Each structure stands twice: as C-alpha cells, then as structure tokens.
Amino acid sequence: MATITSRNGVDVDRLIATIGAVQSDANVASFTFRATSSWETGGRNHGEIGAFEHAGTPTADRAEPFRLVGDEPPVLLGTNAGPNAVELVLQALAFCYGVGDVYNAAARGIEISELRYEVEGDLDLHRFLGLGGPRAGFSEIRAKSWVRSPHATQQQLEELCQYVQDTSPVRDILANPVPVTTDLVVLD
Amino acid sequence: MATITSRNGVDVDRLIATIGAVQSDANVASFTFRATSSWETGGRNHGEIGAFEHAGTPTADRAEPFRLVGDEPPVLLGTNAGPNAVELVLQALAFCYGVGDVYNAAARGIEISELRYEVEGDLDLHRFLGLGGPRAGFSEIRAKSWVRSPHATQQQLEELCQYVQDTSPVRDILANPVPVTTDLVVLD
C-alpha cells in the first residue's frame, strides 16, 4: 500500500506527481484564471471568482464562486463595505508568498511550524485625482516574513525565501510589466 | 443650505473638496496600505486588511479588519477554501477599474446605470514548479467592460474608459514595474 506523505499539510506525493505530469505534457501547466465584478453604488463593487481553465478545459472544481465585496474607506468616499483594490493586491502578494514558502518547504523536506507576512505599499493619489504627479500605483511594496521551523537552519530558510521570491507569480507581475488589454462594450 | 450632490452614489461635493484639499496640501494624497497573512495549513492562509496610514497618520476608519481566506483549488493541491493569489489580483483590477469609472463619471457629469467587468489572465506553472520556462506570473491580462449610461455618448464613454486605464492604480502596478523588497525574520 502507498503511504501518503504529507508535510506542512501538503501532499508531497501529489506535488511530485504534478511536477511529473507537467514534464510529460507542458500543457498541464497552462491555466487561465478569471474574476468578474458588478458595480453596486459609489465605490462598492461585488466580485465573483469561479471557474478557471486548466490545460484548455474549464474546471468543475467550484460549484459556487467565491464572492467578494470591494469598497473604499470614508476618506476615499466609500462606505468601508470591503477592502479597496490596492489593498487586495497586497493581500494577494502575502498569500502567494505563503503558498510558495509552504509548498517549496514541503518539497525540500523543511517543516514549517509558523509563517506570517505583513505587506505594505505607498501610494500617492495625485494621478488618480487628475492632478498629474507621480505614478498612479504603489511607488514601493515592502513585504516582511516571519517564519519558524523546528529543524531548518537559518541558511536553508533564507535560500527558501529567495527561491520563493524568484518564482512567485504575484511578485513577478508586480516587479515586471504585464501586457494589460482593456475592451469596452457600451450597452444600449 | 448646501445641497448634497450625489451622482452614481458618489458625493460629488466631497470629491471636489478632496481634490481641493490635495491641491492645498500635497501630503493629503499620501497613503500607506497594508495586509497581513497567517499560514494555516497546506495552501491555506488567513488574511487581514485593517488600518492604513493617511498623510502619515494611522486611520481609525476600521474598528475590525476585513478577513479573507486564500487557498488553492484541488488541482493545485489545495482544498478550495478561498480564491488563490493570482485570482485575487484579477479581482483587484476589476474593482479598481469599477471605482475609477464611477468616480470619474461622477466628476464629469456622466450617469452610470450598469457596469460590469470580466478580467482574465494566462499563467504557466513551469517556473513555480521549478521547471524553468516562461515567467512565473501572467503572460497577459485581458479586461472587458460592459457599461450602460442613460445619456452619455459612445465617445464620452470611450474617453472615460481610456482615462480610467491611464490613472488606475492597479493597472499601473501590473503594466509597469514596482520595486518589491522582501525581508525575512527567522523565529527561534
């Protein structure tokens, strides 16, 4: 009988099988993710994250989409019904680093007992308000990680942290330019 | 008595007052936003988005932080307890565009009666899995907007859409590089 090898809550056998599947068929690594939003009022929008495509085929992994609310705080003319868009991006970087740390630690035989992130970003609103000035988005993003491992050395954890930065999908799209196209359909 | 001018659910008088405040004191446009995460197990992390700094001072706008769960779908070795990190980024772009459309429409006297977004991104997992290949993050992001306005012309709505793209904080940080620093603290 096969033994299930779980480390950090990650099924290491499945992780290795996934790597093997991608090596056999490059298309297995291909995903298209998707999110939708509907405006409600003022700064408030309702979001949904549901099906995605894997290897060109829509997945049936999620019977119901995840629902999110986006809004602005009062100082930005909203009603604080949810986080704002730039805060969600910081959260996404924290989540991405967290998954990268834990999956790669599992693959390397490193046990993680505690892992936290704090991510912050500086933003100047001049351009959004039509007043020119610096770039519209974050001028800088700073992430800080706290990690505890019962057996790993400082050097092993530093190497893991560097590797995760080098392979993080969210860090990549923040640190490097992504082509973004935006199409408009005017409804009658 | 002053009349409250609300358009698209946006307090236009406050919007104009905010622009005036930033013109009088550039520091009023300065924000530092923040998100934290704590790892739970496997690909699942708990996130919180709470206080931020405005003009160098922590705000008290939120008594309680917003709580989010990040996870991966089963095909990515998770349990589907929440959206994954790259999906959250797509959601953030949809929310950012939505707020930009509605606030700028309000400022321009354009009434919006319906506004929806769909945002998708293509991602190849080779690099995340340590197999080299293309970039770790999205190779391309495509946004599509559906907008309805009772009075605005097609040209007005096209100009609005272009202006929002040019001033969107989330589009900016995806389309252009942001410096990202990541520090590690190893706990005993």
Side-chain angles (χ1 to χ4, degrees), chain A residues 113-135:
Chain A
S113 52
E114 182 179 352
L115 176 64
R116 287 180 287 118
Y117 271 95
E118 180 173 288
V119 183
E120 59 184 24
D122 302 325
L123 193 141
D124 185 292
L125 222 61
H126 276 84
R127 185 163 295 276
F128 181 78
L129 293 173
L131 300 172
R135 65 185 299 169

Side-chain angles (χ1 to χ4, degrees), chain A residues 8-9 14-15 22-23 26 29-39 41-43 45 47-49 52 54 61-62 66 68 70 72-77 80 82-92 94-97 99 102-103 112 115-128 130-131 135-148 154 157-158 163 165 167 169 171-188, chain B residues 8-9 14-15 22-23 26 29-39 41-43 45 47-49 52 54 61-62 66 68 70 72-77 80 82-92 94-97 99 102-103 112 115-131 135-148 154 157-158 163 165 167 169 171-188:
Chain A
N8 304 327
R14 276 197 63 204
L15 178 56
V22 168
Q23 285 174 313
S30 164
F31 289 82
T32 296
F33 293 104
R34 192 169 286 119
T36 63
S37 74
S38 300
W39 172 61
T41 185
N45 288 274
E48 294 197 357
I49 296 172
F52 55 89
H54 176 215
D61 267 355
R62 295 169 180 159
F66 299 111
L68 293 94
E72 298 289 345
V75 70
L76 294 171
L77 312 183
N80 232 349
N84 75 16
V86 294
E87 291 175 315
L88 269 191
V89 172
L90 301 178
Q91 186 74 83
F95 284 163
C96 192
Y97 274 166
V99 172
V102 166
Y103 282 22
I112 302 283
L115 176 64
R116 287 180 287 118
Y117 271 95
E118 180 173 288
V119 183
E120 59 184 24
D122 302 325
L123 193 141
D124 185 292
L125 222 61
H126 276 84
R127 185 163 295 276
F128 181 78
L131 300 172
R135 65 185 299 169
F138 290 124
S139 56
E140 184 180 295
I141 294 175
R142 296 174 295 276
K144 193 166 178 183
S145 169
W146 290 264
V147 64
R148 189 188 308 272
Q154 172 96 20
L157 295 170
E158 283 171 4
Y163 183 81
Q165 290 176 62
T167 57
R171 186 185 193 282
D172 174 40
I173 59 181
L174 295 172
N176 302 297
V178 181
V180 180
T181 61
T182 305
D183 292 326
L184 173 69
V185 178
V186 175
L187 301 167
D188 289 331
Chain B
N8 304 327
R14 276 197 63 205
L15 178 56
V22 167
Q23 284 174 313
S30 164
F31 289 82
T32 296
F33 294 103
R34 193 169 286 118
T36 64
S37 75
S38 299
W39 172 62
T41 185
N45 288 273
E48 295 198 356
I49 295 172
F52 54 89
H54 176 215
D61 268 356
R62 295 169 179 158
F66 299 110
L68 293 93
E72 297 290 346
V75 69
L76 293 171
L77 312 183
N80 232 348
N84 75 17
V86 294
E87 292 176 312
L88 268 192
V89 173
L90 301 177
Q91 187 73 83
F95 285 163
C96 192
Y97 274 166
V99 173
V102 165
Y103 282 21
I112 303 283
L115 176 64
R116 288 179 287 116
Y117 271 95
E118 181 173 289
V119 184
E120 60 184 25
D122 302 326
L123 194 141
D124 186 292
L125 222 62
H126 277 83
R127 185 163 295 276
F128 181 79
L129 293 173
L131 300 173
R135 65 184 298 169
F138 291 125
S139 56
E140 184 181 294
I141 294 176
R142 296 174 296 276
K144 192 167 178 185
S145 169
W146 290 265
V147 64
R148 189 188 308 272
Q154 172 97 19
L157 295 169
E158 282 172 5
Y163 183 81
Q165 290 175 63
T167 56
R171 185 185 194 282
D172 174 40
I173 60 182
L174 295 172
N176 303 296
V178 181
V180 180
T181 61
T182 305
D183 292 326
L184 173 69
V185 178
V186 174
L187 300 168
D188 286 332

